[in-house]
Amino acid sequence: MSDRQIRIAPSILTADFGRLAEQVRAAEAAGVDLMHLDVMDGHFVPPLSFGTEVMAAVKAATSLPVEMHLMVERPEEHFDGFAELGAGTQIFHFEAARDLDRCRDLISQLRALGCAPAVAISPETPVSAIVELLPEIEQVTVMTIRPGWGGQSLKEELLEKVTAIRQAADALGRPDFVIEVDGGVKSHNIGQCVVAGADVLVAGSAVFNEQQAPSEAVAEMRAAIEARSA
């Protein structure tokens, strides 16, 4: 565990969009590692979020990598626009693709655009559904809440998926394989996520909230990670 680089990725979904650039800059100054942007189409999940305009605003406010989490029914319709704006990683949902052949088509499209392909799995999807894809992708995002809404509590039993994916990736000789946990990550449970095998922790309301500055929130999470890594 100590050899892995553990990264914090604030989701801007809970940021104050009236001062988005300011909040993004504050998160970067606090020492986060990348920005996580949740794109929702109002169909795959009921909420509707944002598109290329907001991504462009985030890119203009930070020098950090930006990853796109596409909670949409037809992710391929969004790939080109986000790739042109510099998305390093684009994450599509297995539940939107529905089968392995379609997943492989989407993976090929992302590779052709120069993006790192990643697959997200919702709470109801078992690891067995996507294990065949591990040699072909760079990352799996394990949803530990119901996708679409911020502020939910992390379901700790879903961290078993993280451990299972880590074991499968290690068996493939992929120690660099990225496992991301998305949903309900806070300072009190971030250590559990890391112990389970996560490399990237998506934190929304834990970073962007009215109770503390991003610098305080990120410092708390780093301290919690260090405490469990010692």
Side-chain angles (χ1 to χ4, degrees), residues 64-89:
L64 293 175
V66 173
E67 68 175 14
M68 309 305 297
H69 181 184
L70 306 179
M71 289 180 270
V72 300
E73 284 188 349
R74 300 188 61 83
E76 69 276 10
E77 294 180 355
H78 303 266
F79 288 165
D80 286 8
F82 293 132
E84 288 174 7
L85 288 171
T89 299

Side-chain angles (χ1 to χ4, degrees), residues 20-36:
L20 181 59
E22 175 189 337
Q23 295 229 290
V24 168
R25 287 192 290 266
E28 181 173 3
V32 303
D33 301 284
L34 67 154
M35 296 292 171
H36 181 94

Side-chain angles (χ1 to χ4, degrees), residues 103-166:
C103 282
R104 291 188 169 103
D105 288 343
L106 297 174
I107 291 165
S108 295
Q109 290 175 42
L110 287 171
R111 292 275 186 207
L113 290 168
C115 297
V119 175
I121 53 173
S122 295
E124 68 274 11
T125 300
V127 170
S128 58
I130 53 95
V131 71
E132 287 184 39
L133 298 174
L134 298 188
E136 304 169 44
I137 57 179
E138 303 303 319
Q139 172 179 315
V140 170
T141 297
V142 176
M143 296 297 300
T144 45
I145 60 170
R146 184 165 57 104
W149 291 270
Q152 301 178 64
S153 297
L154 182 147
K155 298 179 180 179
E156 293 183 7
E157 66 273 16
L158 295 175
L159 294 178
E160 295 177 3
K161 293 185 182 182
V162 175
T163 302
I165 296 167
R166 177 59 61 202

